[in-house]
Structures are given as C-alpha cells and as structure tokens.
C-alpha cells in the first residue's frame, strides 16, 4: 500500500518535471513574445495625403510605398543592420 502510494507520488513529480522541461524548451525555441499592440510596429506606412514608409528601428524612410509593398526591403534591411552593428548610415 505504501509502495503504491509512493509510486503515484513519484510519477506525479516526474510528470511535473517533464512538463517544466518541455515548457523551457518551447520558450527557448520561441524566444521573446512581443505583443502586437498599437505603436509596436516595425514600419509605418502613410499613403495619403503623401506617400512615406518609415522604419521605426533604423529611421530609414522612402517615398516608394509601392516598391516596399512589392517586397523591396533591401534599403530597410541595410539600414537596420548598420544601426544594430553601430556603423554610420550609408
């Protein structure tokens, strides 16, 4: 009787440990969760009354909104990489 109870307690503790390890692994894979609240966006798009796309991380701006929407993000990537590495803007 005591042996059965001890085994149940041991199984429960091992299950808790396994769940904690799994949660740690998942959090390491996911990284930091950032909420998508207003004001936390990476880029601002203005299409009326003037056209402007501004990267809030690097300060890079362009008036080619359609190009950015079509996938031309190279200027923003370059500016972000320069700002994050401490290099002066191009």
């Amino acid at each position: 009787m005591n042996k059965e109870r001890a085994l149940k307690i041991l199984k429960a503790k091992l299950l808790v440990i396994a769940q904690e390890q799994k949660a740690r692994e998942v959090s390491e894979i996911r990284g930091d969760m950032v909420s998508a609240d207003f004001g936390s966006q990476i880029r601002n798009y203005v299409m009326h009354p003037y056209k402007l796309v501004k990267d809030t991380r690097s300060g890079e701006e362009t008036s080619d909104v359609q190009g950015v929407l079509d996938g031309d993000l190279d200027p923003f990537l370059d500016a972000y990489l320069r700002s994050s590495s401490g290099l002066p803007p191009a």
Side-chain angles (χ1 to χ4, degrees):
M1 186 154 180
N2 281 340
K3 184 177 181 180
E4 291 172 4
R5 189 169 184 197
L7 284 175
K8 281 184 181 181
I9 293 171
L10 180 61
K11 284 181 184 180
K13 287 182 180 181
L14 289 174
L15 181 63
V16 168
I17 291 171
Q19 289 172 342
E20 288 174 354
Q21 287 176 342
K22 179 79 172 173
R24 272 195 301 270
E25 289 173 5
V26 168
S27 69
E28 286 176 10
I29 291 171
R30 268 195 185 155
D32 295 332
M33 296 293 288
V34 178
S35 64
D37 295 333
F38 182 76
S40 65
Q41 63 268 17
I42 295 172
R43 276 186 239 38
N44 297 321
Y45 297 83
V46 178
M47 296 180 211
H48 184 74
Y50 55 92
K51 295 183 178 191
L52 178 71
V53 179
K54 181 174 183 176
D55 188 306
T56 59
R57 299 172 299 180
S58 65
E60 180 73 15
E61 296 181 3
T62 183
S63 60
D64 183 17
V65 175
Q66 192 59 46
V68 173
L69 292 175
D70 288 338
D72 183 21
L73 300 174
D74 290 340
F76 294 105
L77 293 173
D78 292 339
Y80 173 71
L81 291 173
R82 286 185 169 281
S83 69
S84 65
S85 66
L87 293 174

